[in-house]
Amino acid sequence: MHFPGRGNRSAPVRAVDGVSFDVAAGETLGLVGESGCGKSTTGRMIVRLLEPTSGTIAYEGRDISRLNRRELRPVRKDLQMVFQDPHSSLNPRQTVARVIADPLLAHGSSESAARARAVELMDLVGLIPEHIDRYPHEFSGGQAQRIGIARALALDPKLVVADEPVSALDVSVQAQIVNLMERLQKELGLAYLFIAHDLSVVKRVCDRVAVMYLGRVVEIGAKERVYAAPAHPYTQALLSAVPLPDPAAERARERITLLGDPPSPASPPPGCAFHPRCARAAAICRVEAPILRGVARGEEREVACHFPGAG
């Protein structure tokens, strides 16, 4: 996904540049990285809220990246999204009943059937069905996010793209929403693309983790392996910033401090995009961009680094 730059001579902003991954039925893939690395843009392209500049989006073996609105309509039932800010994603002029029923009405349900389904969904996500005729501003942030989840589930999707669904909530409420999403996944067989910058939350909810840096995936693999033995220096730095619950262990461990600021996606550096901030960058890193390769034989993990796993 390349956005046009400002002015006629400005370089395009390469928000997402060569990302490739898959999400299996019923699994949760975590997509992590710094703000501005392209996580949310990736999620919005998957559900076709943004039109990709190039490449394909394959759903159940079918390329949906070039479908027109009529062709895309039946596919939209299976691909839904939960947004980061619950209140800004809900229409303040509509009652909760209408907010949740809108997807159903758009796909041909009657008013009565859509309302009945909205009542069911209110109960499913832990809200009081009798409050269905209230407006979004009458709910707390956590309750509003439950409404957003109910709306996403209205059409019985198979994949839900959750774009930082708990980052705008208090810590205690975050735990409630995470528990809710885990329960719904088990009950409904959902697959999640869970976009986040909080690695503690990702560790709790995800099966696999993909780490993004400057529009590219630099490491992807099973959660246990990525957290236990990160292979990319950027992943190592991210994990070193996660607080440990044990004060003694927190004081004893070594923090990895990255050099400088992330480069601009409008003018990425040559070679490996991470090399200006990498303490172990070599000459090859400055001229040759690494591709995703397997870390070890028999291990389902890939890393884009010329010197993976080095200390």
Short mmCIF file of all heavy atoms in Angstrom, two decimals, residues 77 96-105 109-125 129 132 149-157 184 187-188 190:
data_model
loop_
_atom_site.label_atom_id
_atom_site.label_comp_id
_atom_site.label_asym_id
_atom_site.label_seq_id
_atom_site.Cartn_x
_atom_site.Cartn_y
_atom_site.Cartn_z
N LYS A 77 -19.41 -10.64 4.49
CA LYS A 77 -20.00 -11.32 5.63
C LYS A 77 -18.95 -12.06 6.45
O LYS A 77 -19.05 -12.14 7.67
CB LYS A 77 -21.07 -12.32 5.16
CG LYS A 77 -22.33 -11.70 4.59
CD LYS A 77 -23.33 -12.80 4.27
CE LYS A 77 -24.64 -12.22 3.76
NZ LYS A 77 -25.63 -13.29 3.48
N VAL A 96 -28.05 1.66 19.87
CA VAL A 96 -27.25 0.45 19.80
C VAL A 96 -27.96 -0.60 18.93
O VAL A 96 -27.32 -1.35 18.19
CB VAL A 96 -26.98 -0.09 21.21
CG1 VAL A 96 -26.34 -1.47 21.16
CG2 VAL A 96 -26.08 0.88 21.96
N ALA A 97 -29.27 -0.64 19.03
CA ALA A 97 -30.04 -1.59 18.22
C ALA A 97 -29.73 -1.37 16.73
O ALA A 97 -29.51 -2.33 15.98
CB ALA A 97 -31.54 -1.43 18.48
N ARG A 98 -29.72 -0.13 16.31
CA ARG A 98 -29.46 0.17 14.90
C ARG A 98 -28.00 -0.09 14.53
O ARG A 98 -27.70 -0.59 13.44
CB ARG A 98 -29.83 1.63 14.61
CG ARG A 98 -29.65 2.02 13.15
CD ARG A 98 -30.63 1.31 12.26
NE ARG A 98 -30.36 1.51 10.86
CZ ARG A 98 -31.30 1.63 9.93
NH1 ARG A 98 -32.57 1.56 10.26
NH2 ARG A 98 -30.97 1.82 8.66
N VAL A 99 -27.08 0.26 15.45
CA VAL A 99 -25.65 0.05 15.19
C VAL A 99 -25.37 -1.42 14.90
O VAL A 99 -24.69 -1.77 13.93
CB VAL A 99 -24.82 0.53 16.39
CG1 VAL A 99 -23.38 0.03 16.28
CG2 VAL A 99 -24.82 2.05 16.48
N ILE A 100 -25.91 -2.30 15.74
CA ILE A 100 -25.65 -3.73 15.58
C ILE A 100 -26.43 -4.31 14.40
O ILE A 100 -25.95 -5.21 13.70
CB ILE A 100 -26.01 -4.48 16.88
CG1 ILE A 100 -25.14 -3.97 18.04
CG2 ILE A 100 -25.83 -5.99 16.72
CD1 ILE A 100 -25.49 -4.57 19.38
N ALA A 101 -27.64 -3.78 14.18
CA ALA A 101 -28.50 -4.34 13.12
C ALA A 101 -28.11 -3.87 11.72
O ALA A 101 -28.48 -4.52 10.73
CB ALA A 101 -29.96 -3.96 13.39
N ASP A 102 -27.37 -2.79 11.61
CA ASP A 102 -27.03 -2.23 10.29
C ASP A 102 -26.44 -3.25 9.32
O ASP A 102 -26.86 -3.32 8.15
CB ASP A 102 -26.09 -1.03 10.45
CG ASP A 102 -26.82 0.29 10.20
OD1 ASP A 102 -28.00 0.25 9.79
OD2 ASP A 102 -26.21 1.36 10.41
N PRO A 103 -25.45 -4.04 9.73
CA PRO A 103 -24.92 -5.04 8.77
C PRO A 103 -25.98 -6.03 8.30
O PRO A 103 -25.99 -6.42 7.13
CB PRO A 103 -23.82 -5.75 9.57
CG PRO A 103 -23.47 -4.80 10.67
CD PRO A 103 -24.72 -4.08 11.00
N LEU A 104 -26.87 -6.41 9.20
CA LEU A 104 -27.93 -7.35 8.84
C LEU A 104 -28.91 -6.73 7.86
O LEU A 104 -29.32 -7.36 6.88
CB LEU A 104 -28.66 -7.80 10.11
CG LEU A 104 -27.81 -8.62 11.08
CD1 LEU A 104 -28.40 -8.55 12.48
CD2 LEU A 104 -27.71 -10.06 10.62
N LEU A 105 -29.27 -5.48 8.10
CA LEU A 105 -30.19 -4.78 7.20
C LEU A 105 -29.56 -4.60 5.83
O LEU A 105 -30.23 -4.72 4.80
CB LEU A 105 -30.58 -3.43 7.80
CG LEU A 105 -31.36 -3.48 9.12
CD1 LEU A 105 -31.50 -2.08 9.70
CD2 LEU A 105 -32.73 -4.10 8.90
N SER A 109 -31.83 -8.52 5.78
CA SER A 109 -32.68 -8.95 6.89
C SER A 109 -33.83 -7.97 7.09
O SER A 109 -33.71 -6.77 6.79
CB SER A 109 -31.87 -9.05 8.18
OG SER A 109 -30.97 -10.11 8.13
N SER A 110 -34.92 -8.46 7.62
CA SER A 110 -36.03 -7.59 7.96
C SER A 110 -35.72 -6.84 9.25
O SER A 110 -34.83 -7.23 10.02
CB SER A 110 -37.31 -8.41 8.15
OG SER A 110 -37.19 -9.27 9.27
N GLU A 111 -36.46 -5.76 9.51
CA GLU A 111 -36.25 -4.97 10.72
C GLU A 111 -36.43 -5.83 11.97
O GLU A 111 -35.63 -5.76 12.91
CB GLU A 111 -37.23 -3.79 10.73
CG GLU A 111 -36.95 -2.73 9.69
CD GLU A 111 -35.91 -1.72 10.15
OE1 GLU A 111 -35.45 -1.82 11.30
OE2 GLU A 111 -35.57 -0.83 9.34
N SER A 112 -37.48 -6.63 11.99
CA SER A 112 -37.76 -7.43 13.18
C SER A 112 -36.69 -8.50 13.40
O SER A 112 -36.23 -8.73 14.54
CB SER A 112 -39.13 -8.08 13.06
OG SER A 112 -39.21 -8.92 11.92
N ALA A 113 -36.26 -9.16 12.32
CA ALA A 113 -35.22 -10.19 12.45
C ALA A 113 -33.89 -9.58 12.87
O ALA A 113 -33.17 -10.15 13.69
CB ALA A 113 -35.07 -10.94 11.13
N ALA A 114 -33.57 -8.40 12.33
CA ALA A 114 -32.32 -7.74 12.67
C ALA A 114 -32.31 -7.30 14.13
O ALA A 114 -31.30 -7.43 14.83
CB ALA A 114 -32.10 -6.53 11.75
N ARG A 115 -33.45 -6.81 14.60
CA ARG A 115 -33.52 -6.39 16.00
C ARG A 115 -33.40 -7.61 16.94
O ARG A 115 -32.71 -7.54 17.96
CB ARG A 115 -34.82 -5.65 16.27
CG ARG A 115 -34.92 -5.15 17.71
CD ARG A 115 -36.19 -4.36 17.97
NE ARG A 115 -36.29 -3.99 19.37
CZ ARG A 115 -35.75 -2.92 19.92
NH1 ARG A 115 -35.06 -2.08 19.14
NH2 ARG A 115 -35.87 -2.66 21.20
N ALA A 116 -34.06 -8.70 16.58
CA ALA A 116 -33.98 -9.90 17.41
C ALA A 116 -32.54 -10.41 17.48
O ALA A 116 -32.06 -10.84 18.54
CB ALA A 116 -34.90 -10.98 16.84
N ARG A 117 -31.85 -10.37 16.35
CA ARG A 117 -30.45 -10.79 16.32
C ARG A 117 -29.58 -9.85 17.15
O ARG A 117 -28.66 -10.29 17.85
CB ARG A 117 -29.97 -10.84 14.88
CG ARG A 117 -28.49 -11.15 14.70
CD ARG A 117 -28.13 -12.53 15.21
NE ARG A 117 -26.76 -12.86 14.86
CZ ARG A 117 -26.01 -13.72 15.54
NH1 ARG A 117 -26.52 -14.36 16.60
NH2 ARG A 117 -24.76 -13.98 15.16
N ALA A 118 -29.87 -8.55 17.12
CA ALA A 118 -29.12 -7.58 17.91
C ALA A 118 -29.29 -7.85 19.40
O ALA A 118 -28.32 -7.73 20.17
CB ALA A 118 -29.57 -6.16 17.56
N VAL A 119 -30.48 -8.22 19.82
CA VAL A 119 -30.72 -8.57 21.22
C VAL A 119 -29.88 -9.78 21.61
O VAL A 119 -29.26 -9.82 22.69
CB VAL A 119 -32.22 -8.84 21.46
CG1 VAL A 119 -32.44 -9.42 22.85
CG2 VAL A 119 -33.02 -7.55 21.29
N GLU A 120 -29.83 -10.79 20.75
CA GLU A 120 -29.02 -11.98 21.01
C GLU A 120 -27.54 -11.62 21.16
O GLU A 120 -26.84 -12.12 22.05
CB GLU A 120 -29.18 -12.99 19.87
CG GLU A 120 -30.55 -13.63 19.76
CD GLU A 120 -30.62 -14.54 18.53
OE1 GLU A 120 -29.57 -14.73 17.87
OE2 GLU A 120 -31.72 -15.06 18.25
N LEU A 121 -27.08 -10.75 20.27
CA LEU A 121 -25.67 -10.37 20.29
C LEU A 121 -25.32 -9.54 21.52
O LEU A 121 -24.22 -9.66 22.07
CB LEU A 121 -25.32 -9.61 19.01
CG LEU A 121 -25.30 -10.46 17.74
CD1 LEU A 121 -25.32 -9.58 16.50
CD2 LEU A 121 -24.07 -11.37 17.72
N MET A 122 -26.24 -8.69 21.96
CA MET A 122 -26.02 -7.94 23.19
C MET A 122 -25.76 -8.90 24.35
O MET A 122 -24.84 -8.72 25.15
CB MET A 122 -27.23 -7.05 23.50
CG MET A 122 -27.38 -5.84 22.62
SD MET A 122 -26.35 -4.44 23.16
CE MET A 122 -27.27 -3.86 24.60
N ASP A 123 -26.58 -9.92 24.45
CA ASP A 123 -26.41 -10.91 25.51
C ASP A 123 -25.12 -11.70 25.33
O ASP A 123 -24.41 -11.99 26.31
CB ASP A 123 -27.61 -11.85 25.54
CG ASP A 123 -27.55 -12.85 26.67
OD1 ASP A 123 -27.50 -12.43 27.85
OD2 ASP A 123 -27.53 -14.07 26.39
N LEU A 124 -24.77 -12.01 24.09
CA LEU A 124 -23.58 -12.80 23.81
C LEU A 124 -22.30 -12.10 24.27
O LEU A 124 -21.37 -12.75 24.77
CB LEU A 124 -23.51 -13.11 22.31
CG LEU A 124 -22.33 -13.97 21.83
CD1 LEU A 124 -22.42 -15.38 22.40
CD2 LEU A 124 -22.29 -14.01 20.31
N VAL A 125 -22.25 -10.78 24.10
CA VAL A 125 -21.04 -10.04 24.46
C VAL A 125 -21.08 -9.48 25.88
O VAL A 125 -20.21 -8.71 26.28
CB VAL A 125 -20.77 -8.88 23.46
CG1 VAL A 125 -20.58 -9.42 22.06
CG2 VAL A 125 -21.89 -7.84 23.50
N PRO A 129 -29.50 -6.75 27.43
CA PRO A 129 -30.31 -6.54 26.23
C PRO A 129 -31.33 -5.42 26.36
O PRO A 129 -31.69 -4.78 25.37
CB PRO A 129 -31.01 -7.90 26.04
CG PRO A 129 -30.09 -8.89 26.69
CD PRO A 129 -29.52 -8.16 27.87
N ILE A 132 -30.70 -1.89 24.76
CA ILE A 132 -30.45 -1.86 23.33
C ILE A 132 -30.92 -0.58 22.65
O ILE A 132 -30.44 -0.21 21.57
CB ILE A 132 -31.11 -3.10 22.65
CG1 ILE A 132 -30.52 -3.33 21.26
CG2 ILE A 132 -32.63 -2.96 22.61
CD1 ILE A 132 -30.87 -4.66 20.66
N ILE A 149 -17.80 -5.21 19.01
CA ILE A 149 -17.60 -6.64 18.78
C ILE A 149 -18.91 -7.29 18.35
O ILE A 149 -18.93 -8.12 17.43
CB ILE A 149 -17.03 -7.30 20.05
CG1 ILE A 149 -15.61 -6.78 20.32
CG2 ILE A 149 -17.03 -8.82 19.91
CD1 ILE A 149 -15.04 -7.21 21.65
N ALA A 150 -20.01 -6.90 19.01
CA ALA A 150 -21.33 -7.45 18.63
C ALA A 150 -21.65 -7.12 17.18
O ALA A 150 -22.16 -7.97 16.43
CB ALA A 150 -22.40 -6.91 19.56
N ARG A 151 -21.36 -5.90 16.75
CA ARG A 151 -21.62 -5.51 15.36
C ARG A 151 -20.78 -6.35 14.41
O ARG A 151 -21.25 -6.79 13.35
CB ARG A 151 -21.30 -4.03 15.17
CG ARG A 151 -21.46 -3.54 13.73
CD ARG A 151 -21.14 -2.06 13.62
NE ARG A 151 -19.79 -1.75 14.06
CZ ARG A 151 -19.31 -0.52 14.19
NH1 ARG A 151 -20.08 0.52 13.91
NH2 ARG A 151 -18.07 -0.31 14.60
N ALA A 152 -19.51 -6.59 14.78
CA ALA A 152 -18.63 -7.39 13.92
C ALA A 152 -19.12 -8.83 13.79
O ALA A 152 -18.88 -9.48 12.78
CB ALA A 152 -17.21 -7.37 14.47
N LEU A 153 -19.82 -9.33 14.81
CA LEU A 153 -20.28 -10.72 14.81
C LEU A 153 -21.66 -10.89 14.18
O LEU A 153 -22.13 -12.02 14.04
CB LEU A 153 -20.32 -11.26 16.25
CG LEU A 153 -18.99 -11.31 17.00
CD1 LEU A 153 -19.22 -11.84 18.41
CD2 LEU A 153 -17.98 -12.16 16.26
N ALA A 154 -22.30 -9.79 13.82
CA ALA A 154 -23.70 -9.86 13.37
C ALA A 154 -23.90 -10.80 12.19
O ALA A 154 -24.92 -11.49 12.09
CB ALA A 154 -24.19 -8.46 13.01
N LEU A 155 -22.93 -10.86 11.29
CA LEU A 155 -23.07 -11.65 10.06
C LEU A 155 -22.35 -12.99 10.14
O LEU A 155 -22.10 -13.62 9.12
CB LEU A 155 -22.55 -10.85 8.87
CG LEU A 155 -23.33 -9.57 8.56
CD1 LEU A 155 -22.61 -8.73 7.51
CD2 LEU A 155 -24.74 -9.89 8.09
N ASP A 156 -22.00 -13.42 11.36
CA ASP A 156 -21.32 -14.71 11.55
C ASP A 156 -20.04 -14.80 10.73
O ASP A 156 -19.87 -15.69 9.88
CB ASP A 156 -22.25 -15.88 11.21
CG ASP A 156 -23.45 -15.95 12.14
OD1 ASP A 156 -23.27 -15.75 13.36
OD2 ASP A 156 -24.56 -16.20 11.64
N PRO A 157 -19.08 -13.90 10.97
CA PRO A 157 -17.85 -13.91 10.17
C PRO A 157 -16.96 -15.10 10.51
O PRO A 157 -17.12 -15.75 11.55
CB PRO A 157 -17.18 -12.59 10.57
CG PRO A 157 -17.62 -12.38 11.98
CD PRO A 157 -19.05 -12.88 12.02
N LEU A 184 -15.42 -16.01 22.77
CA LEU A 184 -16.14 -15.99 21.49
C LEU A 184 -15.42 -16.82 20.44
O LEU A 184 -16.07 -17.49 19.63
CB LEU A 184 -16.29 -14.54 21.01
CG LEU A 184 -17.21 -13.65 21.85
CD1 LEU A 184 -17.10 -12.20 21.39
CD2 LEU A 184 -18.65 -14.12 21.77
N GLU A 187 -16.30 -20.43 21.16
CA GLU A 187 -17.70 -20.76 20.91
C GLU A 187 -18.07 -20.70 19.43
O GLU A 187 -18.88 -21.50 18.96
CB GLU A 187 -18.60 -19.80 21.70
CG GLU A 187 -18.52 -19.97 23.21
CD GLU A 187 -19.40 -18.98 23.95
OE1 GLU A 187 -20.10 -18.19 23.27
OE2 GLU A 187 -19.39 -18.98 25.19
N LEU A 188 -17.47 -19.74 18.70
CA LEU A 188 -17.88 -19.49 17.32
C LEU A 188 -16.86 -19.95 16.28
O LEU A 188 -17.13 -19.86 15.08
CB LEU A 188 -18.15 -17.99 17.14
CG LEU A 188 -19.16 -17.37 18.11
CD1 LEU A 188 -19.26 -15.86 17.88
CD2 LEU A 188 -20.52 -18.01 17.98
N LEU A 190 -13.90 -18.61 15.55
CA LEU A 190 -13.39 -17.45 14.81
C LEU A 190 -11.88 -17.53 14.61
O LEU A 190 -11.15 -18.13 15.40
CB LEU A 190 -13.71 -16.16 15.58
CG LEU A 190 -15.17 -15.83 15.82
CD1 LEU A 190 -15.28 -14.69 16.83
CD2 LEU A 190 -15.84 -15.44 14.52
#
